[in-house]
């Protein structure tokens, strides 16, 4: 079963002939990846993608549930890292 909000967004994308992008940070990024996985499994004709920030990554969990539903090629999930990661460390202060 697909969440109602996602189904509505995919219906609009299909009617308007456009793509769907889901974004999220941290846990929201993980949820964005899961959302795209479900969308691509049930609506493969609609281009969906996730843009995530500082997410733990969902591929290990997706590898476990993939055989239980309509299997899709996990490489189609575009697990490409783009951009540059910066770590900012501040000196201790009083």
């Amino acid at each position: 079963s697909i969440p109602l909000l996602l189904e509505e967004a995919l219906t609009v994308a299909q009617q308007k002939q456009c793509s769907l992008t889901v974004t999220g940070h941290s846990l929201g990024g993980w949820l964005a990846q899961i959302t795209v996985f479900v969308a691509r499994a049930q609506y493969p004709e609609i281009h969906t993608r996730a843009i995530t920030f500082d997410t733990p990554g969902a591929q290990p969990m997706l590898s476990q549930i993939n055989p239980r539903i309509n299997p899709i090629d996990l490489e189609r999930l575009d697990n490409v890292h783009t951009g540059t990661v910066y770590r900012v460390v501040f000196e201790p202060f009083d």
Side-chain angles (χ1 to χ4, degrees):
S1 159
I2 189 168
L4 183 58
L5 180 60
L6 176 59
E7 187 171 20
E8 289 180 16
L10 289 165
T11 300
V12 170
Q14 193 170 40
Q15 290 171 350
K16 303 280 186 182
Q17 297 180 342
C18 59
S19 62
L20 178 67
T21 302
V22 184
T23 63
H25 171 264
S26 191
L27 175 59
W30 185 85
L31 291 170
Q33 290 174 317
I34 301 300
T35 300
V36 168
F37 176 79
V38 170
R40 286 195 178 179
Q42 297 195 18
Y43 289 83
E45 69 279 4
I46 300 174
H47 178 64
T48 54
R49 65 180 171 205
I51 297 176
T52 63
F53 304 91
D54 197 23
T55 182
Q59 191 164 8
M61 195 266 311
L62 293 176
S63 297
Q64 293 176 12
I65 67 170
N66 192 33
R68 288 190 248 155
I69 65 169
N70 300 325
I72 66 169
D73 181 7
L74 292 179
E75 296 305 314
R76 290 181 51 216
L77 294 179
D78 305 327
N79 291 319
V80 178
H81 174 79
T82 59
T84 305
V85 177
Y86 294 96
R87 180 172 182 225
V88 178
V89 179
F90 295 98
E91 294 289 326
F93 60 92
D94 295 327

